[in-house]
Amino acid sequence: MELIDGKELAKNIRANLKEDVEALKQKGIHPKLAVIMVGDDKASAVYVRNKSKACNEIGVEYEEFLLKEDTTMDELLKLIEKLNKDASVDGILLQSPIPRHLDINEAFRTITPEKDVDGFNPVNVGKLSLNQECFVSCTPYGIIKMLETYNIPIEGANAVIIGRSNIVGKPLLQCLLNKNATVTICHSKTKNLEEVTKRADILIAAIGKPEFVTEYMVKEGATVIDVGINRTEEGKILGDVKFDEVSKKASYITPVPGGVGPMTIAMLMANVVKAASNRK
Ligand code: NDP
């Protein structure tokens, strides 16, 4: 079994991006990311802190907009529109979740596609499904990068994703399909899940349930990518995969933490640098 070291890979990607940022600055372009957070979700605060740290490390300017829990949709959209027009801002990220009274889809629709570094605007989602140049959402983008760096064949592979969310499962389905994998996507209504997952050459777990994937669900020699981040009451972070068991059967596996998480942030940085390079 070989561990897919997302932490190390992300570090290398950030080092390369730092050089790209320096080159852009020489040309007078100072890449900038604006992050909007609504309310005070604790997990979101951690993710946002990590994103700001990554910006700092590679020299991307970072501005945070913290909106109160009772912010109206009108106020949120006004801020997004202001940032859309601000020529110094290259990327706009709305940290989810946002309070239930706000319409996240409308907010994503309002972020201009050219600054949509999370790839959640329907224009980018549509382009991904047409296999056209676009901003790819960061977690699927990071997973593809990991598979490619470790020379794990995607073309022709049976890839099985557990989870069909708009931010992970569905865009990952498109990414893998665009790379010629045969893709199956499973969800809570899937029958005989174990039979499906056992056929996977590449198995991706994006469920949000600690240690859900056991050795009985995995084929000998499979590549297993664990997207899950689950916090236990004791404050420990567990993935969606029972690592101790599954790592004995897998040929490649990502750890949690130190797998998909750091890659997600590295690819966000890559998208911000790309947006800045596209400046007119
Ligand atoms: P969602 O809750 O949006 O989606 C979970 C998916 O899992 C749903 O499609 C759901 O099915 C499916 N599911 C739930 N229970 C079962 C079951 N018993 N059998 C089969 N499928 C099931 O989660 P996200 O995609 O947003 O996140 C998934 C996990 O990944 C979370 O732990 C999250 O924290 C983590 N995450 C990590 C990131 C990273 O950078 N490492 C980035 C984003 C998320 P249905 O649609 O039928 O309800």
Side-chain angles (χ1 to χ4, degrees):
M1 182 275 295
E2 191 175 343
L3 202 66
I4 301 182
D5 190 343
K7 198 173 165 191
E8 185 63 23
L9 184 53
K11 195 170 131 196
N12 294 339
I13 292 172
R14 290 196 307 271
N16 288 333
L17 288 170
K18 190 173 178 181
E19 290 177 13
D20 295 345
V21 170
E22 270 159 25
L24 281 168
K25 285 182 176 169
Q26 303 261 312
K27 290 194 230 163
I29 297 172
H30 294 254
K32 179 171 173 180
L33 173 67
V35 171
I36 306 170
M37 212 169 104
V38 191
D40 55 2
D41 184 77
K42 286 205 173 63
S44 294
V46 176
Y47 299 142
V48 164
R49 202 179 323 128
N50 289 338
K51 288 167 189 175
S52 99
K53 268 207 260 177
C55 282
N56 235 328
E57 183 186 329
I58 69 164
V60 165
E61 282 177 36
Y62 175 89
E63 192 171 2
E64 212 167 271
F65 297 85
L66 301 175
L67 304 183
K68 290 206 231 61
E69 186 83 27
D70 61 357
T71 297
T72 63
M73 198 59 205
D74 197 42
E75 285 166 333
L76 176 60
L77 295 185
K78 278 211 174 95
L79 172 61
I80 293 173
E81 271 152 13
K82 191 181 110 198
L83 296 169
N84 280 343
K85 287 194 199 111
D86 185 338
S88 73
V89 171
D90 297 290
I92 304 169
L93 184 148
L94 173 63
Q95 183 65 45
S96 67
I98 60 175
R100 292 171 71 92
H101 67 278
L102 300 171
D103 179 351
I104 196 152
N105 290 322
E106 193 182 351
F108 286 147
R109 243 190 338 265
T110 306
I111 296 174
T112 187
E114 292 75 28
K115 298 188 180 188
D116 173 35
V117 286
D118 249 345
F120 295 155
N121 179 291
V123 170
N124 283 314
V125 175
K127 283 186 172 176
L128 181 65
S129 79
L130 296 170
N131 200 7
Q132 293 173 0
E133 170 61 28
C134 63
F135 284 114
V136 178
S137 58
C138 307
T139 302
Y141 189 10
I143 291 171
I144 297 291
K145 243 327 187 253
M146 289 199 285
L147 294 173
E148 289 182 339
T149 307
Y150 280 79
N151 295 317
I152 295 159
I154 303 177
E155 184 162 311
N158 274 330
V160 175
I161 306 165
I162 318 176
R164 57 173 163 181
S165 72
N166 291 342
I167 62 164
V168 186
K170 283 188 208 156
L172 181 60
L173 162 78
Q174 287 301 337
C175 290
L176 290 164
L177 196 57
N178 291 346
K179 299 267 175 203
N180 298 320
T182 302
V183 195
T184 307
I185 193 155
C186 305
H187 45 78
S188 66
K189 306 291 184 291
T190 299
K191 291 191 180 129
N192 304 324
L193 183 65
E194 207 174 291
E195 273 175 33
V196 184
T197 58
K198 265 193 159 150
R199 291 201 297 266
D201 303 312
I202 303 171
L203 178 64
I204 301 115
I207 313 153
K209 295 197 168 155
E211 302 188 321
F212 182 91
V213 175
T214 61
E215 60 178 321
Y216 305 108
M217 298 170 76
V218 179
K219 182 171 82 174
E220 192 79 44
T223 293
V224 180
I225 308 287
D226 190 350
V227 182
I229 302 176
N230 307 289
R231 283 186 176 75
T232 64
E233 277 175 14
E234 302 82 53
K236 206 176 159 211
I237 293 177
L238 292 176
D240 285 349
V241 175
K242 205 159 191 172
F243 185 89
D244 293 349
E245 278 182 23
V246 174
S247 58
K248 292 194 185 110
K249 271 183 118 176
S251 58
Y252 291 91
I253 188 166
T254 62
V256 175
V260 176
M263 284 301 289
T264 296
I265 296 183
M267 300 334 282
L268 169 67
M269 294 301 113
N271 279 347
V272 175
V273 171
K274 177 173 155 180
S277 313
N278 290 344
R279 260 196 217 179
K280 298 262 161 24

